[in-house]
Amino acid sequence: MTRVLLVDDDLELGEMLTEYLEREGFEATAVPDGETGVHQALSGEYGILVLDVMMPGLNGIEALRRIRAQDRRLPVLMLTARGDDVDRIVGLELGADDYVPKPCSPRELVARIRAILRRTQMPAPSTASSAPLTAGALTLWSERRHVEWRGQPLELTSTEFNLLEVLVRHAGRVVSKQELSQQALGRPLARYDRSIDVHLSSIRHKLGLDDDGRSPIQTVRGLGYQFVRE
């Protein structure tokens, strides 16, 4: 049973979502403030964090910043104000895995949680399929969720890992944003959704540039993205 931590100052909403999550087979805990949320999130007791952006005191953005400074692997789903692209982009840049605009239905929230967990809690593959993936100077171990770039470990969030894995598996060919969303986020690409672009921008920053001054992840305008083999 996956433990879900919900951090939201709306006590009524927190109680309602907690009850719904428990009916759906999760163990859920709701806390009403960012300070407590950070402490609980870093306890190692939870499988996923649902974090509201707009909270008094320590808001969701600053709470996420503190969490990601110590834990890059805990999946984080942000609750953002509908239409507030700034909070969404900042949250994704800081390492959130996905977001849901408020007000949202409990059913939509659970669907997003399950989509994230499907990619982060997959059983380890058999020995026959556990060989690392390689593309140029990058080596990726799917079962260990570990990546090395030019011989050094690469720290990625769970969603960044998912996206990079999809691109590396198809290295040398263009992968559409729709494919990336389905395979890495576990959901169809929504209209005007910039999640893929923001996550890939973060991965590019971590990879740096090749000797020719180009990123190993290339944008193919109108088609998608490609991991370029060296």
Side-chain angles (χ1 to χ4, degrees), residues 123-137:
S126 64
T127 304
S129 61
S130 61
L133 301 171
T134 59

PDB file of all heavy atoms in Angstrom, residues 123-137:
ATOM      1  N   PRO A 123       8.402  -3.207 -11.273  1.00  0.00           N
ATOM      2  CA  PRO A 123       9.271  -4.276 -10.779  1.00  0.00           C
ATOM      3  C   PRO A 123      10.546  -4.365 -11.600  1.00  0.00           C
ATOM      4  O   PRO A 123      10.568  -4.027 -12.786  1.00  0.00           O
ATOM      5  CB  PRO A 123       8.411  -5.540 -10.962  1.00  0.00           C
ATOM      6  CG  PRO A 123       7.419  -5.180 -12.019  1.00  0.00           C
ATOM      7  CD  PRO A 123       7.154  -3.714 -11.848  1.00  0.00           C
ATOM      8  N   ALA A 124      11.610  -4.799 -10.961  1.00  0.00           N
ATOM      9  CA  ALA A 124      12.893  -4.925 -11.663  1.00  0.00           C
ATOM     10  C   ALA A 124      12.775  -5.938 -12.788  1.00  0.00           C
ATOM     11  O   ALA A 124      12.171  -6.990 -12.635  1.00  0.00           O
ATOM     12  CB  ALA A 124      13.993  -5.361 -10.696  1.00  0.00           C
ATOM     13  N   PRO A 125      13.344  -5.649 -13.958  1.00  0.00           N
ATOM     14  CA  PRO A 125      13.275  -6.590 -15.062  1.00  0.00           C
ATOM     15  C   PRO A 125      14.119  -7.818 -14.808  1.00  0.00           C
ATOM     16  O   PRO A 125      14.941  -7.859 -13.903  1.00  0.00           O
ATOM     17  CB  PRO A 125      13.829  -5.769 -16.239  1.00  0.00           C
ATOM     18  CG  PRO A 125      14.672  -4.716 -15.610  1.00  0.00           C
ATOM     19  CD  PRO A 125      14.054  -4.419 -14.291  1.00  0.00           C
ATOM     20  N   SER A 126      13.921  -8.846 -15.605  1.00  0.00           N
ATOM     21  CA  SER A 126      14.693 -10.069 -15.463  1.00  0.00           C
ATOM     22  C   SER A 126      16.149  -9.827 -15.817  1.00  0.00           C
ATOM     23  O   SER A 126      16.501  -8.820 -16.441  1.00  0.00           O
ATOM     24  CB  SER A 126      14.111 -11.155 -16.375  1.00  0.00           C
ATOM     25  OG  SER A 126      14.242 -10.763 -17.725  1.00  0.00           O
ATOM     26  N   THR A 127      17.008 -10.773 -15.438  1.00  0.00           N
ATOM     27  CA  THR A 127      18.435 -10.633 -15.707  1.00  0.00           C
ATOM     28  C   THR A 127      18.714 -10.451 -17.190  1.00  0.00           C
ATOM     29  O   THR A 127      19.590  -9.685 -17.599  1.00  0.00           O
ATOM     30  CB  THR A 127      19.191 -11.872 -15.191  1.00  0.00           C
ATOM     31  OG1 THR A 127      18.907 -12.035 -13.805  1.00  0.00           O
ATOM     32  CG2 THR A 127      20.679 -11.717 -15.398  1.00  0.00           C
ATOM     33  N   ALA A 128      17.913 -11.134 -18.025  1.00  0.00           N
ATOM     34  CA  ALA A 128      18.138 -11.070 -19.467  1.00  0.00           C
ATOM     35  C   ALA A 128      17.930  -9.676 -20.022  1.00  0.00           C
ATOM     36  O   ALA A 128      18.491  -9.324 -21.046  1.00  0.00           O
ATOM     37  CB  ALA A 128      17.210 -12.057 -20.170  1.00  0.00           C
ATOM     38  N   SER A 129      17.111  -8.884 -19.338  1.00  0.00           N
ATOM     39  CA  SER A 129      16.803  -7.550 -19.862  1.00  0.00           C
ATOM     40  C   SER A 129      17.417  -6.433 -19.030  1.00  0.00           C
ATOM     41  O   SER A 129      17.052  -5.284 -19.166  1.00  0.00           O
ATOM     42  CB  SER A 129      15.279  -7.350 -19.925  1.00  0.00           C
ATOM     43  OG  SER A 129      14.723  -7.447 -18.627  1.00  0.00           O
ATOM     44  N   SER A 130      18.358  -6.810 -18.106  1.00  0.00           N
ATOM     45  CA  SER A 130      18.887  -5.825 -17.172  1.00  0.00           C
ATOM     46  C   SER A 130      20.186  -5.186 -17.642  1.00  0.00           C
ATOM     47  O   SER A 130      20.815  -4.453 -16.889  1.00  0.00           O
ATOM     48  CB  SER A 130      19.107  -6.471 -15.801  1.00  0.00           C
ATOM     49  OG  SER A 130      20.048  -7.519 -15.892  1.00  0.00           O
ATOM     50  N   ALA A 131      20.613  -5.461 -18.857  1.00  0.00           N
ATOM     51  CA  ALA A 131      21.820  -4.833 -19.380  1.00  0.00           C
ATOM     52  C   ALA A 131      21.586  -3.331 -19.510  1.00  0.00           C
ATOM     53  O   ALA A 131      20.485  -2.890 -19.828  1.00  0.00           O
ATOM     54  CB  ALA A 131      22.174  -5.431 -20.734  1.00  0.00           C
ATOM     55  N   PRO A 132      22.613  -2.526 -19.243  1.00  0.00           N
ATOM     56  CA  PRO A 132      22.428  -1.074 -19.331  1.00  0.00           C
ATOM     57  C   PRO A 132      22.190  -0.613 -20.763  1.00  0.00           C
ATOM     58  O   PRO A 132      22.624  -1.256 -21.726  1.00  0.00           O
ATOM     59  CB  PRO A 132      23.745  -0.530 -18.784  1.00  0.00           C
ATOM     60  CG  PRO A 132      24.746  -1.614 -19.027  1.00  0.00           C
ATOM     61  CD  PRO A 132      23.989  -2.897 -18.847  1.00  0.00           C
ATOM     62  N   LEU A 133      21.500   0.508 -20.879  1.00  0.00           N
ATOM     63  CA  LEU A 133      21.328   1.169 -22.165  1.00  0.00           C
ATOM     64  C   LEU A 133      22.469   2.153 -22.337  1.00  0.00           C
ATOM     65  O   LEU A 133      22.847   2.854 -21.392  1.00  0.00           O
ATOM     66  CB  LEU A 133      19.996   1.923 -22.206  1.00  0.00           C
ATOM     67  CG  LEU A 133      18.714   1.115 -21.994  1.00  0.00           C
ATOM     68  CD1 LEU A 133      17.525   2.064 -21.858  1.00  0.00           C
ATOM     69  CD2 LEU A 133      18.502   0.154 -23.137  1.00  0.00           C
ATOM     70  N   THR A 134      23.027   2.233 -23.532  1.00  0.00           N
ATOM     71  CA  THR A 134      24.103   3.177 -23.786  1.00  0.00           C
ATOM     72  C   THR A 134      23.806   3.977 -25.043  1.00  0.00           C
ATOM     73  O   THR A 134      23.250   3.463 -26.015  1.00  0.00           O
ATOM     74  CB  THR A 134      25.453   2.464 -23.952  1.00  0.00           C
ATOM     75  OG1 THR A 134      25.372   1.541 -25.041  1.00  0.00           O
ATOM     76  CG2 THR A 134      25.840   1.728 -22.676  1.00  0.00           C
ATOM     77  N   ALA A 135      24.186   5.233 -24.986  1.00  0.00           N
ATOM     78  CA  ALA A 135      24.090   6.123 -26.148  1.00  0.00           C
ATOM     79  C   ALA A 135      25.189   7.155 -25.991  1.00  0.00           C
ATOM     80  O   ALA A 135      25.095   8.042 -25.130  1.00  0.00           O
ATOM     81  CB  ALA A 135      22.718   6.785 -26.229  1.00  0.00           C
ATOM     82  N   GLY A 136      26.224   7.025 -26.786  1.00  0.00           N
ATOM     83  CA  GLY A 136      27.349   7.932 -26.653  1.00  0.00           C
ATOM     84  C   GLY A 136      27.981   7.808 -25.285  1.00  0.00           C
ATOM     85  O   GLY A 136      28.308   6.710 -24.829  1.00  0.00           O
ATOM     86  N   ALA A 137      28.113   8.933 -24.589  1.00  0.00           N
ATOM     87  CA  ALA A 137      28.760   8.949 -23.278  1.00  0.00           C
ATOM     88  C   ALA A 137      27.793   8.687 -22.137  1.00  0.00           C
ATOM     89  O   ALA A 137      28.164   8.807 -20.968  1.00  0.00           O
ATOM     90  CB  ALA A 137      29.452  10.303 -23.068  1.00  0.00           C
TER      91      ALA A 137
END
